[in-house]
Amino acid sequence: GSGRRVVYSRDGQRVWAVDDDGTIIRSYLVSGSKYDNEQPGFHEVYSRSEQSTAWNGQAILPLMIRYQETDIGAIGFHGIPVHVSDGSVYQTDAELGTRLSGGCQRQNNLDAQFLWAFADVGTPVVVV
């Protein structure tokens, strides 16, 4: 790709934020889908929510940035999810880089804050 964009590697479980001139601004590990349901190709951010709920209602998803629609909801980037039942986190930062989610890319909460500021609606997302 070219221009300002977010790139997500399914194999590497890594995200890159790329500026207009092709400079990588930030790169970090995420925990993507254990089901491999993120569709490779070119997408774009189509909606954002400061807080969202998982499709099954069991998790709070902070700083949700959606780029792919599915039959049951959406796939996107968000902070580490929290159990609705008791407020505990679904995973630790040390587990980033392993496939643990149902579809989305879980980010360290500082990385989620960065991407929230970087990726407005319309930002290209490249999934490889």
Side-chain angles (χ1 to χ4, degrees), residues 44-88:
E44 71 176 40
V45 174
Y46 69 87
S47 101
R48 299 164 17 116
S49 302
E50 286 190 47
Q51 181 173 296
S52 186
T53 305
W55 66 273
N56 60 9
Q58 296 181 11
I60 296 169
L61 313 174
L63 302 177
M64 177 67 163
I65 300 171
R66 299 171 193 85
Y67 68 84
Q68 180 186 325
E69 293 185 69
T70 70
D71 292 338
I72 60 171
I75 292 178
F77 304 98
H78 57 74
I80 301 290
V82 176
H83 288 97
V84 170
S85 60
D86 65 5
S88 64

Side-chain angles (χ1 to χ4, degrees), residues 88-99:
S88 64
V89 294
Y90 271 73
Q91 73 176 81
T92 66
D93 287 347
E95 293 173 297
L96 291 166
T98 57
R99 293 178 169 274

Side-chain angles (χ1 to χ4, degrees), residues 16-51:
W16 294 268
V18 182
D19 207 355
D20 291 323
D21 64 2
T23 301
I24 296 171
I25 298 172
R26 192 171 185 131
S27 174
Y28 53 91
L29 292 173
V30 295
S31 285
S33 175
K34 56 188 169 187
Y35 305 112
D36 228 8
N37 52 2
E38 320 99 329
Q39 295 298 309
F42 294 91
H43 306 274
E44 71 176 40
V45 174
Y46 69 87
S47 101
R48 299 164 17 116
S49 302
E50 286 190 47
Q51 181 173 296

